Amino acid sequence: AYERIGSQGVSGYQLKTARRSLNILFQEWGNRGLHYWQIANNDITLVADQAVYTMFRSTGDGTSDATAVYGVDDVLEAVYRNSSNVDTPLTKINRSTYQALSNKTSTGTPTQYYVQRFIDKVTITLYLTPGSSEAGNKLNYYYVKRIQDVGDYTNATDVPYRFVPCMVSGLAFYLAQK
């Protein structure tokens, strides 16, 4: 990227500023929805009378309800999976629709879910709330993982090879602005 903007002899400070710019580029890609390689699938075991399930950004933020899953950015789709491994699709609803539900504590087989995205976590709220008959069954969902930060200077970037030219061009653009 520095070669593309005509800079030679990169210093330690320039390396730090390039890392910051690359992290900003990755955040911009995430905001634009360019994280197609970051789709994953997971299960959450349902608990009787628990409607809200939480996935944290990192282990430092808290303990997720989903086993060993951190960095969830959004939930794309979900199904209720019973003990016979039969899936029933759930409908994703928005905040207004969830707010309009009259009795949010009704128990039964979930049919809808509402996703809230926070700085440090993502929550899935189920409607109907799983009852004792649904406890132990699964919520199976596909989710978008956050693009990892650059981290240490020796880390490999969290992009597939076909995105490397875009990454270098984007980084050169940010560096040229400095």
Side-chain angles (χ1 to χ4, degrees), residues 24-153:
I24 291 169
L25 177 68
F26 289 162
Q27 290 170 358
E28 182 182 341
W29 284 2
N31 290 336
R32 291 177 184 232
L34 295 175
H35 36 53
Y36 303 116
W37 63 93
Q38 294 289 59
I39 307 296
N41 180 262
N42 197 39
D43 289 323
I44 295 175
T45 302
L46 300 178
V47 177
D49 301 322
Q50 179 179 338
V52 180
Y53 297 84
T54 304
M55 285 80 62
F56 286 96
R57 180 189 56 183
S58 70
T59 54
D61 294 327
T63 303
S64 294
D65 290 319
T67 307
V69 170
Y70 292 92
V72 173
D73 190 49
D74 196 7
V75 176
L76 299 175
E77 54 194 40
V79 298
Y80 168 77
R81 183 168 289 162
N82 68 18
S83 58
S84 302
N85 285 326
V86 175
D87 291 348
T88 304
L90 301 179
T91 304
K92 187 174 186 177
I93 58 175
N94 61 26
R95 180 185 3 238
S96 298
T97 304
Y98 180 75
Q99 185 63 26
L101 296 171
S102 60
N103 186 357
K104 295 172 186 66
T105 59
S106 295
T107 60
T109 302
T111 57
Q112 300 173 318
Y113 68 100
Y114 162 54
V115 177
Q116 283 187 286
R117 298 168 60 192
F118 299 97
I119 292 172
D120 61 340
K121 63 187 172 193
V122 170
T123 63
I124 299 175
T125 305
L126 298 177
Y127 180 81
L128 302 163
T129 300
S132 57
S133 301
E134 292 76 28
N137 292 338
K138 306 284 185 188
L139 172 70
N140 180 270
Y141 62 100
Y142 281 93
Y143 65 97
V144 177
K145 298 186 325 186
R146 292 182 186 208
I147 298 173
Q148 295 177 3
D149 288 344
V150 175
D152 294 335
Y153 296 111

Side-chain angles (χ1 to χ4, degrees), residues 144-175:
V144 177
K145 298 186 325 186
R146 292 182 186 208
I147 298 173
Q148 295 177 3
D149 288 344
V150 175
D152 294 335
Y153 296 111
T154 57
N155 287 358
T157 55
D158 190 26
V159 297
Y161 74 96
R162 66 185 183 277
F163 274 76
V164 171
C166 301
M167 178 185 69
V168 172
S169 296
L171 181 56
F173 170 77
Y174 281 128
L175 295 175

